[in-house]
């Protein structure tokens, strides 16, 4: 369905919509590249016990492209979705860049968050340096440095260039490299280069939540793949050190996507965490 949220039409899906169960709002990663398909595939598995809300953020997927594409705006959109769905409190979830927004939401709206689930994300922009080193040292593929710089600095020229640069770095993401899967992902990705460019040329430079995370009051599960190249385990360890009620789980046979590469174990881990949180409320 399409819902008008803060002056922008968002593509939203509600899974497991039944009264009396906790609500999860899951934010996808990769602004300008990501879509609700990723959280639908992972958090949608929990729709037997939770009301799961997934959506294309403004400037991504099938949603409209009205700016601004700031963290503040994306956080405001999440809270407007919460109000639209009628939930007093939510489980806020996010993977990769979506984890940035999930943490920003938990900082801005602590009373609205019953729990937080993070996946392969970072508390600041220090992961950029780590990711660059990992990409250039990869034995899997030889990265075209010009394309790498354009996508990582938010200076891609248009949607076609974003697709070209995205295809260049996609082989780095999974624990087990499958060229056919990479080609399929590149084909299925919705491209919004202006959103991507703003996120990586403007937002990333100012992104640093380390001083705010000790004030997060929600119990937090942090999941990460052992072989994640772009937000390595050290990034999740930093988050775990800063958020008081946090649990870190490392998935040993995953890259950036344990929710897909070790889907059953990841689902069981999230279920156990959420069941424990809501059993004490």
């Amino acid at each position: 369905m399409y819902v008008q949220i803060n002056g922008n039409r968002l593509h939203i899906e509600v899974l497991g919509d039944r009264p009396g169960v906790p609500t999860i709002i899951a934010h996808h990663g990769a602004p300008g590249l990501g879509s609700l398909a990723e959280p639908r595939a992972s958090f949608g598995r929990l729709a037997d016990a939770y009301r799961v809300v997934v959506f294309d953020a403004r400037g991504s997927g099938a949603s409209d492209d009205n700016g601004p594409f700031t963290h503040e705006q994306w956080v405001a959109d999440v809270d407007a979705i919460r109000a639209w769905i009628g939930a007093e409190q939510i489980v806020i979830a996010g993977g990769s860049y979506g984890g940035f927004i999930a943490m920003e939401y938990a900082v801005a709206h602590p009373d609205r968050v019953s729990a937080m689930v993070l996946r392969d994300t970072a508390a600041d922009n220090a992961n950029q340096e780590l990711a660059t080193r990992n990409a250039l040292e990869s034995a899997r593929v030889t990265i075209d440095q010009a394309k790498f710089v354009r996508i990582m600095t938010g200076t891609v020229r248009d949607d076609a260039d974003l697709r070209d640069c995205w295809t260049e770095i996609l082989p780095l993401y999974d624990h087990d490299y499958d060229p056919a899967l990479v080609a399929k992902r590149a084909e299925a990705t919705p491209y919004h280069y202006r959103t991507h460019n703003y996120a990586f040329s403007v937002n990333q430079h100012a992104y640093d939540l380390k001083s705010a995370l000790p004030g997060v009051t929600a119990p937090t599960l942090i999941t990460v793949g052992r072989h994640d190249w772009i937000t390595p385990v050290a990034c999740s360890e930093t988050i775990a050190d800063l958020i008081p009620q946090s649990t870190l789980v490392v998935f040993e046979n995953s890259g950036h996507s344990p929710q897909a590469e070790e889907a059953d174990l990841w689902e069981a881990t999230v279920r156990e965490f959420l069941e424990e949180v809501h059993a004490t409320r």
Side-chain angles (χ1 to χ4, degrees):
M1 74 183 77
Y2 288 91
V3 180
Q4 198 75 11
I5 297 290
N6 292 331
N8 191 79
R9 194 180 64 150
L10 296 186
H11 181 214
I12 300 177
E13 292 185 12
V14 181
L15 312 171
D17 193 5
R18 59 178 65 87
V21 297
T23 298
I24 300 172
I25 298 181
H27 205 295
H28 65 77
L33 290 162
S35 74
L36 59 74
E38 175 253 311
R40 179 177 58 201
S42 52
F43 285 96
R45 295 163 67 114
L46 305 178
D48 60 326
Y50 300 88
R51 179 170 58 173
V52 179
V53 182
V54 297
F55 64 103
D56 294 336
R58 70 171 60 217
S60 294
S63 290
D64 287 347
D65 289 334
N66 301 318
F69 305 125
T70 62
H71 288 192
E72 292 82 3
Q73 185 62 66
W74 284 324
V75 167
D77 290 348
V78 171
D79 200 50
I81 293 170
R82 176 204 58 76
W84 167 77
I85 201 68
E88 288 297 314
Q89 283 197 319
I90 60 170
V91 176
I92 185 66
S96 194
Y97 202 110
F100 300 178
I101 308 306
M103 287 184 281
E104 297 257 26
Y105 185 87
V107 168
H109 300 283
D111 294 341
R112 297 297 190 185
V113 180
S114 63
M116 179 160 58
V117 178
L118 303 173
R119 192 266 305 161
D120 296 83
T121 190
D124 61 15
N125 58 20
N127 73 293
Q128 296 287 91
E129 182 178 347
L130 296 170
T132 298
R133 185 182 66 210
N134 289 340
L136 298 181
E137 292 178 355
S138 173
R140 176 174 291 179
V141 290
T142 300
I143 297 295
D144 182 311
Q145 293 193 35
K147 293 178 183 179
F148 182 81
V149 168
R150 289 204 300 279
I151 195 166
M152 295 297 283
T153 60
T155 54
V156 299
R157 304 175 188 120
D158 51 29
D159 285 347
D161 189 40
L162 179 56
R163 175 174 177 159
D164 198 23
C165 295
W166 180 233
T167 303
E168 186 74 17
I169 67 172
L170 270 175
L172 300 172
Y173 279 86
D174 293 335
H175 180 256
D176 298 315
Y177 176 39
D178 182 347
L181 181 59
V182 166
K184 183 178 179 181
R185 285 180 179 169
E187 180 65 28
T189 297
Y191 295 94
H192 299 253
Y193 84 98
R194 290 184 180 87
T195 311
H196 170 84
N197 278 356
Y198 194 91
F200 281 81
S201 68
V202 180
N203 295 344
Q204 280 274 27
H205 292 297
Y207 178 64
D208 188 344
L209 282 180
K210 294 194 300 298
S211 65
L213 290 183
V216 170
T217 56
T220 299
L221 174 65
I222 306 156
T223 67
V224 63
R226 174 66 71 187
H227 307 284
D228 186 350
W229 76 276
I230 193 166
T231 48
V233 172
C235 297
S236 287
E237 290 173 338
T238 296
I239 297 169
D241 288 342
L242 292 170
I243 295 180
Q245 297 183 72
S246 63
T247 301
L248 172 63
V249 180
V250 180
F251 290 80
E252 298 296 336
N253 298 304
S254 292
H256 190 61
S257 302
Q259 83 286 0
E261 295 184 278
E262 296 180 77
D264 291 344
L265 179 58
W266 187 88
E267 177 191 343
T269 301
V270 174
R271 279 188 186 275
E272 181 180 0
F273 166 75
L274 292 178
E275 286 170 1
E276 182 176 341
V277 167
H278 291 104
T280 60
R281 290 180 176 267

